[in-house]
Amino acid sequence: MYWTSFYASILCFIYFYLAAAVIRLRIIYNISIGDGNNKDLKILIRRHANFIEYVPICLLLIMLSESNGAGFWLVHLAGSSLLLGRILHLFCLSKSVVKDNVRMIAMLLTFLSLFTGAISNLYIVVLGRSEEHTS
């Protein structure tokens, strides 16, 4: 799980950035719970939430693929598409301006990571190693 650790570590820095951005606005606007109906804070909270909704399952699938013996290129396809998708998503939602074209690409890259992880695990378990588990 060498490469999964690499991607998880880089993504953790993005997570810290997103959390710090939310905390910063909470302090500036003195809003400790919820969004206080503040548009900028709503967007930052959604960016943070979107990250935490997708990244863990993607990393889990990448980790399982890697530990199940997925090829180098599959692990990097899933990992790099997740990383690039999350970086694009980070920048496409800037305060009150949503860049829909970039956001769509970011989500497609994240879905590519999900799909790659799911398909590679199913392939390995169902087709690649089915002989080992049928006894």
Side-chain angles (χ1 to χ4, degrees), residues 5-103:
S5 298
F6 169 78
Y7 289 110
S9 296
I10 300 299
L11 288 159
C12 186
F13 289 114
I14 296 171
Y15 181 80
F16 283 141
Y17 173 81
L18 290 169
V22 171
I23 292 167
R24 181 180 156 273
L25 273 192
R26 287 188 182 285
I27 291 169
I28 289 171
Y29 294 115
N30 197 27
I31 302 169
S32 61
I33 297 176
D35 59 32
N37 209 25
N38 180 292
K39 187 177 181 180
D40 292 338
L41 185 55
K42 281 181 185 181
I43 290 171
L44 287 178
I45 289 171
R46 263 322 300 152
R47 278 197 325 190
H48 183 262
N50 186 278
F51 185 93
I52 206 64
E53 290 163 0
Y54 284 98
V55 171
I57 188 67
C58 288
L59 284 173
L60 177 63
L61 288 168
I62 295 166
M63 178 191 71
L64 291 169
S65 292
E66 189 173 13
S67 68
N68 284 328
F72 178 84
W73 70 272
L74 271 174
V75 171
H76 284 292
L77 175 63
S80 62
S81 63
L82 175 62
L83 182 58
L84 181 58
R86 296 295 84 198
I87 289 170
L88 287 176
H89 195 264
L90 177 70
F91 293 111
C92 77
L93 294 174
S94 62
K95 289 197 177 180
S96 59
V97 179
V98 176
K99 298 169 185 71
D100 287 330
N101 293 339
V102 177
R103 188 175 186 203

Side-chain angles (χ1 to χ4, degrees), residues 103-114:
R103 188 175 186 203
M104 183 176 66
I105 293 167
M107 288 311 301
L108 287 173
L109 286 166
T110 301
F111 288 153
L112 175 62
S113 178
L114 278 169

